[in-house]
Structures are given as C-alpha cells and as structure tokens.
Amino acid sequence: MSHPFHALHTHGFVRVAACTPAVAVGDPGFNAAETLVLAREGDARGCDLMLFPELGLSAYAIDDLLLQDALLARVEAEIAGLVAASRELSPVLIVGAPVQHSGTLYNCAVVIARGRILGVTPKSFLPNYREFYENRWFAPGAGISGLTVRLAGQDAPFGTDLVFEAADLAGFSFAAEICEDFWAPAPPSTRAALAGALILCNLSASNIVVGKADDRELLCASQSMRCQAAYLYSAAGPGESTTDLAWDGQATIHELGRLMAKTERFPQHAQMAIADIDVDRLRLERLRTPTFNNAAVAAGRPEAAFRKVRFDHQPTFEDIGLLRPLDRFPFVPHDPARLDQDCYEAFNIQVQGLIQRLRSTKAEHLVIGISGGLDSTHALLVACRAFDVMGKPRADILGFTMPGFATSEGTKSNAWALMNALGVTGQEIDIKPAARQMLADMDHPFARGEPVYDITFENVQAGLRTDYLFRLANRHGGFVLGTGDLSELALGWCTYGVGDQMSHYNVNGSLAKTLIQYLIRWVVKSGLLEETVTKTLMAILDTEISPELVPADVSGAIQSTEAKVGPYELQDFSLYHITRYGLRPSKVAFLAWHAWRDAKAGAWPPNFPEDAHHQYGLGDIKAWLKVFLFRFFEISQFKRSAMPNGPKVISGGALSPRGDWRAPSDGTARVWLEELEANVP
C-alpha cells in the first residue's frame, strides 16, 4: 500500500468524468448497457463521479415515444439494473431518464451509488421554442422540494433542493441541473452552489447548430467562475435521432472558469473527459471571498432550504496519479497565446502605474540603480516605455551602476551597454571606498584585511547603494524607482530599510522572478524598444542570478542566490499556491511532485531553454519548501509590512499589507512546518 501522501484523495481532489455513451433511439436496454460499459471503465480509472447525458436511458429525441408505457417501464427496469450493478462500482453515477411522479412525467437526473438511488432531480426549465417541445411531454420541476419518489423499488428524495455529499471524503459535494436550466437567467445550480455544492453537473442533450458549442463552453466557464465551483457538462452524442436535429457529443469539465478536460466533438464512439477537481481549492476560494457568503445571505440562505443527501463513498486512498492540467510555472502559462496576453497586460499595468506616479509627483527625473541583472533591467524597460508614452526624454532617467567588492565585469558591462542602448543618462559610482570607510568605522574584520563576508559585509554594500539613490533623487528632483521582485519579497531576500527593499515606487513588487524573464523576452519581441538593445537583453537573461556582494571563492564560483534560498522555479510554485489559495504545505508538495518530478512529462513555457528543463524529487521539494515556509512565515514579514507603493499586477501576486497579504511581523512558521513534516514522507 502506498503512503497516503501519494493519494489524490488525501489532498482534496475528486476524480470526475463527463461521458457521452453511444445511444440507440428508444432502446433503454442498449442505452443502459452502454452506460454500464463506461461506468465500469470509469471505475477502473478511479473515477469518483460520472455524469451522463440528459434522457440518456431513453434517448432524448424520441418525441411522443416518451409517453409510451412500455418504454417508461423498461427505463425503470434498466435503472434497477444499474442500481444493482453499482454495488460493485466505486463511482457515483448521474444518469438521465424520464421519471413518473404523482401521475406526471419529469425529465430527471437520477443519482446512483453503491446499490442505492441517492436522489432524483427534475429539470426546472423546459424549452418550448424553436426546435424544442418539451412541455408536450414533461412537467417543469422548478419549485419542487421536500418530496419523495418511488423508483426501481426504492424510495428516494425528489426535488430541485438536493445537494449530495460524501460522508467520508471531505469536499465531495455535488448537485445536478439539466440542459436548459443553465441557459436560464438564474440557473438552479447557483442556488445549489450557495447551499454548499462544490461540483455542479449538467445532463444535457442539446442539439448542435453552428456556433452553439462556443456558447455552451462560455456558459460552463462562466457558471464555474461565478459559483466558485467545478462545472461538468455532458451533451448527447452518437446515436441520437437525426430526424430534424444533429448532435456533437460535447462534454467538458471546468473549474473556476478554466477548462480542465473535454471530449472530441462529433464522435462515432463512446467517450469521456476525465479530470481531478480540486475541491479544497474551491472551498478555500469561497472562504476567502465574502461576496459568496453575502450572496447566500441575500438569497435567503439556500442551505436551510436544501436537503443534504449524505452517502458513504468508500475512497481507497491509493496512488492513482493526478489527472489535471498543472503548470510548472503558475505565474508563466505554457499556452503561447495566454502567455503573450499576460505579458502584454503585466507590462502595461506597470507602465500605467509608473506614469500616474510620475504625473502626481511632478518629478523631473527618475533615479534607478542598474546592476545588469533581471530585475533592474526590467524596471528600466518599464521606465523607458513610460517616458516614451508621456513624451518625456529618456535622458531624464538617471541610471546608476554602483560596483562593489564582488561586481563582475560581465554585469557591469551589461549595465552600461543597457543604459547606452536605451539612451538614458548613465553614471557610475564606485561604492567600495565608502563601504571600506563604513566597515572601518564599525571595526569590521574585513577592514583589517580579513576575508570575513558576513551579513554586515553584504548589507553595507546594499545599504550604501540605496542611500546614494535616495540622496541622488533629492539632488536631481526625482524619485527612486524600486526594482525588487515578488519572489525576493516572499523569501525576504532583500535588505530592509536603507536597502533594496525600499524605494519611492516599485513597479516589480508584484512580479515573480520566473515571470520577469518572460516579460523581458516579450518586450524584445514586441518591438517597443530599439533592436540595438536586444543583444544586451539576451546576455542579461543568460546571467546567473546573484546579488554579487561576496567575492568569488577560490574556485572562481560566484555567490548564488538560488543555492541559498532555493530554485526560484520551486519557490515561486510554493509562493503561488500558498498565498493565492492558502493550500496546506503537504498539498503544495504533492502538486510540486507531480509538476516537477519528470522533466519529460507535461508542457513547458514556449521557448524555454532545453538545458533548463529541470526535475526534482520529493526530497528536494520538501527541503526547499521547508526553507520557503521558514523564510516566508517567520523571518521576513516585517519587510513586507513596510513595502513601498507599487501596482498589483497578477492575481495572488501582491504581498503589500494594503493588498493581498496582511500578516503579523512577529509570527511563527511552526504550524506550517509541522504540517509538512507530519504529512510528507
């Protein structure tokens, strides 16, 4: 038996499937058999919940055959057969069928699990326009609540007031609606979500016409986003009657607006889309969004009106993998079009923020330290673009390179090449004499010739640079543009106060290190700047990330940031999932293990260097996550509590106490470290 850590159920995932089985017109025996074939396949693949199309047991487009007693009796018999077969199956099945109740016929979702009919939800809204004629056969289910139906030898809850919830798998809660319901202005699934359902399921027939598939996907994405839920959709596919209509078998799974899986359209065979839904993430998203709870209050607290149908799901907690899109770089989408859009928006948010600050301060100049590294390079690109938009000469941007004891010729020459190519006013201030004087005044061993490179030695240099920049801003009637990024702020990898933590305005404070390199590439590609700067920018992108505060060792190796605080690609991964969603450390480790354990699996961002396709084992992931938790929760919050102004750029990407993140400066990481140790092998 595998360790519980490796099981998706341990970490709040539910495996769902949206199915489109083959259908025979008016043949419940065939249809139930095809449903059972897919149900058994879903069982073998570890599914927890399987959704089937509207009226899938009878077929949808059979018109007045729906009122034939022989057909209705056979449908009920096949439901009984599925219920019996479900005793040996792990997934909950949601199948579509015509169901009689009190002398009336309803278009229903029948929920089956472990030999039991858990409940029956009737369709609320019946289409009776254009090609639809459902009022001829069915009664609308809107408003039905608190009833019981006798079906296939069992009594089951009947109504639109049902939320189903597993007693032994936290977060596995769902509700059903049918086709037209989610085309209505107020879909029944909205109230079900407000009543606690995290997974919303739509059994649909939905004939296809040109353009309708996009409409369906838009509605699914919208409803999953608005309800902070997962939304499963299954439309009728091969075998439905084409007397007057056609069918494309579209099945999709969305989570918080994002498409997680889909089937091919116009299939000639049965198929299903499968994805692992993060119900923990959905729960936490609702928890951190008071608007959701306020909407429930405004709606009269639907949880009080809904019936909660509880059932024993009996999950195995075995390692069955993880089936969901998972970005190695959550701040850098691997889809080229999405990445291009994100870079366009991020860059222009920064530019717009800086323009407003320049206008409001009426500053004559902008003062910025240029190190030849990623962050200062990108901040300078933003500054140049802002000045171009405002019609101000770039010469009013005052760039200062300030070499210290460990500044390499490579970074210094890159800094000068960058400033010259961009046409800003470049100057150089050698901080070594001032640093030696300060170290001597402090009686530091370095001033006596001893090779002592401690935190004081480093921060004397970092502090002097910032001190110079602020005084230069005073002298030239300008303000200091900060360059420190989100990743450094999260890890506390910045010098507090008179250091790189401080500035008058920081355009990079909401940008992760992993995104900044792509933003620089995007600026190169966009043609916003001169071609002469491209070579220098590419050289900067290829430079080792280093603060260059400590001289190289005897082997010539320079100071490496990532050797101290961890690979930024891992730490940015942790940063995103912990601050954006509040996930437990063990779950972050689980996600990182699936994202990073095999360099050959999964997608990489476009044009990502082949030699940088890294992979990490669970041991490395746990070790660096421990570093992140300690640095983030215990030793660096005081720096974030005093952050300078700067625009929020990305979702979950602001650690300002005036924005996304408020926390005590004297907190402890104990809870997070203990959770990691207790649950990650």
Side-chain angles (χ1 to χ4, degrees), residues 333-344 522 525 606:
H334 59 257
D335 176 68
R338 174 65 190 277
L339 179 57
D340 183 73
Q341 176 73 8
D342 284 5
C343 288
Y344 164 79
W522 180 85
K525 187 181 73 170

Side-chain angles (χ1 to χ4, degrees), residues 360-378:
S360 65
T361 60
K362 299 177 176 59
E364 298 175 23
H365 296 95
L366 198 61
V367 175
I368 179 173
I370 304 299
S371 68
L374 285 173
D375 295 344
S376 64
T377 294
H378 182 65

Side-chain angles (χ1 to χ4, degrees), residues 36-66:
L36 190 55
V37 167
L38 284 185
R40 286 176 173 145
E41 181 183 343
D43 176 68
R45 297 176 66 177
C47 291
D48 298 296
L49 177 66
M50 301 184 71
L51 175 71
F52 293 87
E54 176 183 16
L55 296 177
L57 293 185
S58 60
Y60 177 83
I62 59 174
D63 299 334
D64 288 353
L65 300 185
L66 287 164

Side-chain angles (χ1 to χ4, degrees), residues 3 5 586 622 672-681:
H3 191 285
F5 169 82
S586 61
K622 182 178 180 180
W672 291 267
L673 291 170
E674 288 178 352
E675 198 281 336
L676 181 72
E677 286 299 330
N679 297 308
V680 180

Side-chain angles (χ1 to χ4, degrees), residues 550-582:
V550 174
D553 60 22
V554 292
S555 70
I558 66 169
Q559 185 182 19
S560 170
T561 297
E562 292 182 299
K564 178 74 172 179
V565 300
Y568 276 116
E569 54 198 15
L570 277 186
Q571 302 301 42
D572 281 357
F573 188 94
S574 298
L575 168 64
Y576 178 82
H577 290 286
I578 287 172
T579 60
R580 176 62 183 85
Y581 295 111

Side-chain angles (χ1 to χ4, degrees), residues 459-656:
N459 282 350
V460 160
Q461 298 172 78
L464 276 170
R465 285 171 175 149
T466 304
D467 202 0
Y468 272 118
L469 292 174
F470 272 92
R471 304 297 74 81
L472 287 162
N474 294 153
R475 181 169 181 267
H476 295 288
F479 68 84
V480 178
L481 185 65
T483 63
D485 65 49
L486 177 73
S487 308
E488 293 174 340
L489 285 164
L491 294 162
W493 192 248
C494 51
T495 302
Y496 181 71
V498 185
D500 55 322
Q501 176 262 350
M502 188 48 62
S503 62
H504 287 115
Y505 194 73
N506 183 9
V507 290
N508 284 348
S510 181
L511 288 182
K513 184 81 76 176
T514 48
L515 177 57
I516 284 179
Q517 61 177 308
Y518 274 91
L519 275 167
I520 294 173
R521 287 190 173 95
W522 180 85
V523 171
V524 170
K525 187 181 73 170
S526 68
L528 293 172
L529 300 171
E530 299 80 358
E531 290 187 10
T532 53
V533 78
T534 299
K535 182 178 180 182
T536 301
L537 291 177
M538 298 313 294
I540 290 169
L541 286 168
D542 291 336
T543 301
E544 166 96 24
I545 299 173
S546 171
E548 292 195 326
L549 295 171
V550 174
D553 60 22
V554 292
S555 70
I558 66 169
Q559 185 182 19
S560 170
T561 297
E562 292 182 299
K564 178 74 172 179
V565 300
Y568 276 116
E569 54 198 15
L570 277 186
Q571 302 301 42
D572 281 357
F573 188 94
S574 298
L575 168 64
Y576 178 82
H577 290 286
I578 287 172
T579 60
R580 176 62 183 85
Y581 295 111
L583 301 187
R584 299 182 300 275
S586 61
K587 180 165 184 171
V588 175
F590 176 78
L591 291 170
W593 180 59
H594 277 282
W596 286 99
R597 62 180 175 174
D598 184 357
K600 295 182 176 61
W604 290 84
N607 304 315
F608 198 87
E610 189 74 30
D611 59 0
H613 284 202
H614 301 143
Q615 63 186 38
Y616 301 95
L618 186 55
D620 288 333
I621 289 169
K622 182 178 180 180
W624 287 122
L625 181 50
K626 191 180 298 185
V627 169
F628 177 88
L629 296 172
F630 176 70
R631 296 189 68 95
F632 182 78
F633 286 106
E634 189 148 322
I635 68 171
S636 59
Q637 178 57 39
F638 74 99
K639 299 179 181 181
R640 297 186 290 272
S641 294
M643 280 177 59
N645 293 174
K648 178 179 177 179
V649 178
I650 50 181
S651 176
L655 296 177
S656 166

